[in-house]
Amino acid sequence: MGFLTGKKVLITGVASERSIASGIAEAMHREGAQLAFTYQGEKIRPRVEALAGECGSDLVLPLDVTRDDEIAALTEALNRRWSTLDVFVHSIGFAPRELLAGGYLQTVTRDGYRIAHDISAYSFAALGQALRPLMRGRASSMLTLTYLGAVRAVPMYNVMGPAKASLEANVRYMAAELGPENIRVNGISAGPIKTLAAAGIRGFRTMLTHAEKGSALKRNVSIEEVGNAAAFLCSDLASGITGEILYVDAGFNIMGFSLPADDVDA
Ligand code: NAD
Ligand code: 0WE
């Protein structure tokens, strides 16, 4: 029997089969969870419905996190269908594309800053607030996806850095407030993965190579590896873990610096 058997899970952020959220859905389905999905806009609805079908789910609901009415409607639909919720996965991030190239101070705008923080950080708190009544008192957990750019200055990650820093602070504030209700809140800081969001970034291939060479394991991570860590963190196996950021990055963040392989004394 899987370690998520009987858990009702809401997964946001599936845009394609390469989405980190898809890797999480697959791992959680394998471990016996019952899944519900959200999609952003009618264009990606069929893709999300297809993945849901593969995971034995027919609960697929619209969600654009910039819309309060859609957050309310999603909560209402889940309440009607399930009345409770055990796991909420937040795998959503966005900044206007033109802010993710060049320098931070060269590109940052008031509007870009607001949009990045609204969609990438505030949405976790907003959904946590809405879903809290369905999750309280039942060994439940919330999970979000973050990146090293929250705590280090990463070239071209720019405004997403401050937005992820805000998201990680949300993890701690939400964990502190929801702990008494037995709701855990954690984040996974994933290494770079070529998803749709990443495909929109100029020079992403170079960054993947750099991450590979600089990591302890000398390789990059997969959505399956992030999915397995997510399944663990959201299960009762992790009942003592809350407010934490777990790095699933092949050990990139722990390195001081790396030498080329042929310079290392064997
Ligand atoms: P992805 O493009 O597959 O997923 C991003 C998702 O965000 C999409 O499903 C998109 O629909 C959703 N989204 C954007 N704006 C939204 C809105 N207004 N309302 C609702 N949904 C919205 O890319 P991904 O790489 O799987 O990204 C998932 C999460 O993982 C993001 O938070 C991202 O920052 C984070 N992350 C990605 C990487 C990476 O290298 N790919 C590394 C670490 C963390
Ligand atoms: O969080 C991310 C990517 C987030 C993202 C991607 C896009 C592309 C399309 C946010 N907004 C947009 N807007 C778009 O229009 N990652 C962790 C992946 C990523 O993005 C980078 C990275 C890494 C790693 C950008 C620059 C440098 C490194």
Side-chain angles (χ1 to χ4, degrees):
M1 208 165 79
F3 59 70
L4 286 171
T5 300
K7 296 275 193 195
K8 295 186 177 71
V9 175
L10 174 68
I11 307 229
T12 67
V14 173
S16 76
E17 67 284 345
R18 302 172 84 161
S19 292
I20 292 175
S22 302
I24 294 173
E26 219 138 283
M28 290 190 172
H29 171 60
R30 184 194 70 221
E31 296 303 332
Q34 253 180 283
L35 306 183
F37 293 85
T38 68
Y39 63 92
Q40 180 204 10
E42 289 303 314
K43 219 180 89 188
I44 54 175
R45 179 183 188 157
R47 270 184 268 174
V48 179
E49 281 177 344
L51 176 72
E54 286 169 33
C55 294
S57 161
D58 65 350
L59 197 40
V60 179
L61 304 158
L63 176 66
D64 179 330
V65 296
T66 62
R67 299 188 48 150
D68 291 338
D69 58 328
E70 291 199 6
I71 294 175
L74 166 71
T75 308
E76 182 48 38
L78 281 175
N79 190 30
R80 239 182 294 118
R81 183 74 175 256
W82 281 350
S83 73
T84 60
L85 183 69
D86 300 292
V87 175
F88 157 46
V89 176
H90 176 274
S91 187
I92 292 170
F94 181 82
R97 181 188 301 264
E98 59 279 12
L99 273 63
L100 298 175
Y104 175 54
L105 294 179
Q106 273 168 2
T107 54
V108 70
T109 61
R110 190 183 299 277
D111 231 38
Y113 194 93
R114 178 187 59 73
I115 291 166
H117 283 70
D118 183 20
I119 296 177
S120 312
Y122 171 70
S123 67
F124 189 47
L127 283 162
Q129 182 180 66
L131 297 171
R132 176 185 194 171
L134 281 68
M135 299 180 76
R136 61 166 52 108
R138 43 185 299 108
S140 54
S141 80
M142 305 186 183
L143 179 75
T144 190
L145 274 299
T146 183
Y147 176 62
L148 185 64
V151 295
R152 308 270 189 81
V154 172
M156 292 181 315
Y157 200 59
N158 295 349
V159 74
M160 280 301 295
K164 290 298 194 188
S166 168
L167 178 66
E168 292 187 7
N170 266 291
V171 168
R172 294 183 285 273
Y173 276 81
M174 289 164 65
E177 187 168 348
L178 298 178
E181 298 173 18
N182 206 20
I183 304 173
R184 298 180 298 105
V185 185
N186 292 293
I188 287 180
S189 187
I193 301 174
K194 190 151 189 235
T195 59
L196 272 187
I201 310 294
R202 210 155 42 84
F204 195 78
R205 275 261 292 275
T206 313
M207 281 183 268
L208 276 177
T209 308
H210 184 77
E212 189 179 303
K213 291 190 161 74
S215 73
L217 294 177
K218 300 298 169 208
R219 63 174 179 83
N220 284 313
V221 295
S222 65
I223 60 169
E224 288 77 17
E225 290 176 308
V226 176
N228 284 334
F232 159 71
L233 267 185
C234 294
S235 78
D236 296 342
L237 292 172
S239 56
I241 304 175
T242 194
E244 195 68 77
I245 305 296
L246 178 64
Y247 282 78
V248 181
D249 67 346
F252 183 87
N253 79 95
I254 60 113
M255 301 297 282
F257 63 87
S258 306
L259 295 169
D262 48 322
D263 277 13
V264 181
D265 287 340

